[in-house]
């Protein structure tokens, strides 16, 4: 999404094919690690202001796993929660299952605390009930942070602030003109939808371009 701080005065020229291919400008095709985008509760999403340093958070790539489409006017925490659910839910569920299985095994080995309850003749384990929610929630919001700190290989995503130069006007213009090409090289699209989403020209363009270039099943709205 494009609003607040990022100015896109764009005049397109050339054929439609030029807009969805990089041709001799493959160096413009860049992606950012998902862990980088979600680092520190998605600190990158706190402001639309970019720099040469934020551009260096992306690298040249061949394909992009997910194109993130959003509006900068939406609070950072809302977008972080939506991305955590979309990208981390499966990991959080798996980590919680493993933790619960380990607790059950420890319980079988009589190595966990138990309590007696009035309606049962047998002691009951309490760790699963106490730890299920904390483990799940911590995994949901923090698993990418662990990947960031340990340098794990993460999916590559498109974020306008890091993948399009925000201070070099020539590179910025070239990147804007190739939004369709970014979308063509993206395997999926995540739309962080709010009431202002369809009120912005650029987010409408992104959705329309993706639908033209890909099966709509590759788009997720949150």
């Amino acid at each position: 999404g494009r609003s607040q701080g990022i100015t896109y005065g764009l005049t397109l020229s050339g054929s439609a094919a030029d807009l969805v291919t990089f041709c001799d400008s493959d160096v413009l095709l860049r992606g950012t690690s998902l862990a980088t985008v979600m680092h520190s509760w998605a600190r990158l999403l706190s402001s639309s202001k970019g720099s040469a340093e934020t551009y260096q958070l992306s690298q040249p790539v061949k394909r992009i796993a997910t194109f993130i489409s959003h509006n900068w006017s939406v609070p950072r925490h809302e977008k972080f929660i939506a991305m955590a659910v979309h990208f981390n839910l499966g990991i959080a569920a798996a980590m919680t299952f493993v933790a619960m299985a380990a607790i059950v095994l420890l319980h079988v080995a009589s190595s966990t605390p138990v309590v007696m309850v009035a309606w049962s003749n047998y002691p009951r384990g309490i760790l699963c009930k106490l730890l299920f929610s904390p483990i799940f929630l911590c995994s949901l919001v923090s698993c990418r942070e662990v990947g960031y700190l340990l340098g794990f290989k993460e999916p590559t995503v498109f974020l306008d602030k890091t993948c399009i130069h925000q201070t070099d006007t020539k590179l910025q213009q070239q990147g804007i003109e190739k939004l369709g090409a970014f979308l063509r090289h993206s395997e999926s699209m995540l739309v962080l939808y709010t009431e202002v989403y369809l009120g912005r020209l650029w987010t409408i363009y992104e959705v329309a371009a993706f639908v033209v270039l890909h099966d709509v099943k590759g788009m997720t709205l949150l």
Side-chain angles (χ1 to χ4, degrees):
R2 321 285 163 249
S3 67
Q4 293 190 351
I6 299 180
T7 303
Y8 286 71
L10 174 60
T11 301
L12 297 177
S13 61
S15 67
D18 292 333
L19 303 179
V20 296
T21 59
F22 284 100
C23 300
D24 296 328
S25 53
D26 285 349
V27 66
L28 294 175
L29 177 54
R30 299 174 69 90
T32 301
S33 165
L34 175 60
T36 298
V37 174
M38 299 193 70
H39 174 55
S40 294
W41 301 82
R43 182 173 58 187
L44 277 172
L45 299 179
S46 61
S47 167
S48 61
K49 185 177 180 181
S51 64
E53 286 71 27
T54 56
Y55 188 65
Q56 292 304 313
L57 296 176
S58 64
Q59 302 83 31
V61 296
K62 297 296 184 182
R63 297 289 298 174
I64 295 169
T66 305
F67 185 106
I68 300 175
S69 181
H70 69 109
N71 294 109
W72 284 105
S73 58
V74 178
R76 151 193 175 188
H77 72 273
E78 293 184 18
K79 290 184 278 193
F80 174 80
I81 292 171
M83 289 192 299
V85 171
H86 178 72
F87 291 113
N88 300 348
L89 186 60
I91 296 174
M95 293 178 70
T96 304
F97 175 81
V98 171
M100 294 302 102
I103 292 173
V104 169
L105 290 176
L106 289 173
H107 178 69
V108 171
S110 301
S111 300
T112 60
V114 295
V115 295
M116 295 297 299
V117 292
W119 59 86
S120 175
N121 295 323
Y122 302 97
R124 297 294 184 95
I126 60 173
L127 283 186
C128 283
K129 294 179 180 178
L130 290 176
L131 298 180
F132 178 87
S133 294
I135 290 174
F136 178 78
L137 291 175
C138 287
S139 300
L140 187 68
V141 300
S142 303
C143 63
R144 300 295 173 181
E145 192 70 18
V146 173
Y148 178 87
L149 295 173
L150 298 180
F152 291 165
K153 183 176 177 59
E154 293 277 336
T156 300
V157 299
F158 172 91
L159 181 69
D160 46 8
K161 181 177 178 178
T162 59
C163 297
I164 296 178
H165 210 297
Q166 301 301 315
T167 55
D168 185 312
T169 54
K170 182 178 179 180
L171 282 176
Q172 184 186 53
Q173 183 74 10
Q174 291 174 339
I176 297 166
E177 291 177 352
K178 295 299 183 181
L179 267 178
F182 280 109
L183 285 158
R184 183 183 182 186
H185 286 77
S186 298
E187 297 171 3
S188 64
M189 181 178 187
L190 174 63
V191 175
L192 301 178
Y193 186 85
T194 62
E195 66 277 1
V196 301
Y197 187 83
L198 294 179
R200 306 295 183 182
L201 175 62
W202 282 108
T203 45
I204 294 174
Y205 172 77
E206 289 166 0
V207 169
F210 186 86
V211 170
V212 169
L213 295 168
H214 298 279
D215 190 317
V216 72
K217 292 180 180 179
M219 180 186 298
T220 301
L221 275 70
L222 289 179

